[in-house]
Amino acid sequence: MKKELSTRIKTCLFVIFMLTAGVAQAQDEEQDIDTPEISEIDTAHDRIIKVHPLQIGEIYFSFEKLRTERVANEYGIGYIYKSYLKGETDDWEDYEAKNVMGVAIHMSQRYYNTKKRTAPFGLFWGPVFGYRFMVFEENVFELPEQDPSSPDYRFVGRLYQNSLDLSYQLGGQFLLGQHFTLELAGSLGGRVKYARATSADELLPEHIIGHELASDESSYIAATPLGQLKFSVGYSF
């Protein structure tokens, strides 16, 4: 049920994004094609505080600030409480949600099309960088309990994971009323993960999602493609 709900949410976001982009493009075409590029920062809306309510497994807030009349930087921080490991197969439908405690940092640079609208509104694009650190719940590999005095006893440490994200995004941000904002965007890129659990050995490649780059008995490095849909509401000032 959770997987079906997640899929429906992503589908709805994609449809909303495409519709919004289409409306924005239609509005641009209605304006004079010779409209000069805007060259001044709109000081009434050059900062935006945002909340991202549909982030799966993460509570995420961000702050965007204009640097020039068409370039902005966004900084975000999130608390991660759910993440995914592989189940018995590599099928994405078999991925298992696990409880975690973690933090995420997001940074991006945005270039706005300011020929039609004043930044930070309208269509934008640019690179996105992210870092995530997570501590998984105890016995995340669901190993059977063993007597420490048994000759077959195996100790496996707690699972920690660091990851670096790099992607490129395209989206639109729009002003609703005087100060409230709506943002829809999509991004494509990649993620590199470094997972560590003492003496986990074969459990790491069996459960960490991604293509193996390097591994030993206690650590595992993997890479995976990254695609994300982004939705936020904010307040500009």
Side-chain angles (χ1 to χ4, degrees), residues 36-41 68-70 114:
E37 183 171 350
I38 297 168
S39 59
E40 295 182 358
I41 294 178
T68 71
E69 68 277 2
R70 69 186 303 265
T114 56

Side-chain angles (χ1 to χ4, degrees), residues 80 104-105 110-111 118 121 125 138 167 175 198 206 209 218 226 231 233-234:
I80 306 172
I105 298 172
R110 300 169 166 215
Y111 301 89
T118 303
F121 305 113
W125 57 90
E138 293 184 359
S167 58
L175 184 64
T198 303
E206 287 179 0
I209 299 170
S218 297
L226 179 65
F231 169 80
V233 291

Side-chain angles (χ1 to χ4, degrees), residues 152-216:
D152 297 325
Y153 174 73
R154 177 186 181 184
F155 171 77
V156 176
R158 197 161 186 175
L159 177 61
Y160 299 83
Q161 182 174 292
N162 294 268
S163 64
L164 293 176
D165 302 345
L166 184 61
S167 58
Y168 202 86
Q169 69 176 346
L170 173 66
Q173 186 160 250
F174 309 96
L175 184 64
L176 305 177
Q178 294 296 319
H179 292 282
F180 289 100
T181 65
L182 171 70
E183 174 189 1
L184 294 165
S187 64
L188 289 175
R191 171 176 290 168
V192 176
K193 306 176 182 179
Y194 172 70
R196 181 171 180 82
T198 303
S199 301
D201 203 5
E202 82 286 350
L203 296 173
L204 293 173
E206 287 179 0
H207 293 282
I208 301 300
I209 299 170
H211 175 72
E212 179 179 344
L213 300 179
S215 65
D216 59 31

